[in-house]
Amino acid sequence: GRAAGRLLGSDVRGLAVECVLVEEKLTIARELYVAITHDPLVKRPLVLLSAAGGIDIEEAHAAAPGQVLREHLDVPRGLATDRARRLTGELPVPPAVADALASTLAALYSLYWTIDAELLEINPLAMTAGGALVALDCKLVIDDSALARQPKLPAPAPTGTLLERRARAEGLVY
């Protein structure tokens, strides 16, 4: 309570903290990483999975490339649950968790495609002691040029420093 109270009204990167989300404390058995992003080299969506969540995935991949599973997707085929299960089956998690993760991954791809995302990343995706999956942090980046096709999405919150926001308002890149 007190920590949240200290955050309210404070300034984070030029933005006032207006609300704080408080979640229940969980016992985490393992942290996973899952992301779907656009690979500009092959011009297709790319799924990234790792049992090494909670860390910088680029560093994890550089240190041990085999820790990060990578699979390009064909846009017309998408990501069916059975294909997602084949991917998640390669992770060192119990079969029930791999099944839940496959369903989550298929749903994430559907969302990624539906809202014209450039990146949909959950890091960490926590596996609790009871085997439940809980997204502890998520990053969603939507293609700016697609915002006009997404009227149901809220307008993007202003980001960046005050100077960056002023420049953007004037049509400039700072």
Side-chain angles (χ1 to χ4, degrees):
R2 278 185 252 155
R6 285 193 303 271
L7 285 172
L8 289 171
S10 67
D11 180 83
V12 176
R13 297 188 66 199
L15 298 172
V17 176
E18 296 176 3
C19 64
V20 176
L21 175 64
V22 179
E23 289 285 339
E24 77 176 283
K25 185 176 180 179
L26 298 172
T27 302
I28 299 171
R30 164 171 242 142
E31 291 183 349
L32 307 171
Y33 174 92
V34 59
I36 302 172
T37 189
H38 177 74
D39 185 340
L41 296 177
V42 296
K43 297 179 176 58
R44 294 192 313 181
L46 173 66
V47 173
L48 300 168
L49 285 173
S50 178
I55 59 172
D56 183 343
I57 201 67
E58 288 84 8
E59 286 179 20
H61 182 65
Q67 271 193 329
V68 181
L69 302 174
R70 302 166 51 94
E71 175 131 353
H72 287 96
L73 301 177
D74 294 322
V75 173
R77 286 183 43 211
L79 182 61
T81 304
D82 59 336
R83 184 171 184 205
R85 179 59 179 91
R86 194 177 75 252
L87 283 170
T88 61
E90 296 182 40
L91 294 176
V93 296
V97 173
D99 289 342
L101 182 56
S103 295
T104 300
L105 191 56
L108 287 175
Y109 180 75
S110 178
L111 176 64
Y112 169 89
W113 182 251
T114 301
I115 64 172
D116 295 304
E118 289 180 344
L119 171 69
L120 181 50
E121 173 186 74
I122 301 175
N123 187 27
L125 177 61
M127 182 178 81
T128 67
L133 294 175
V134 180
L136 298 183
D137 193 14
C138 179
K139 182 175 184 178
L140 172 62
V141 178
I142 298 174
D143 181 357
D144 289 341
S145 64
L147 290 174
R149 294 190 304 268
Q150 302 297 334
K152 292 183 179 180
L153 293 178
T159 59
T161 66
L162 180 58
L163 286 174
E164 289 169 330
R165 292 194 310 268
R166 278 187 179 161
R168 201 168 26 252
E170 297 294 326
L172 303 171
V173 176
Y174 176 74

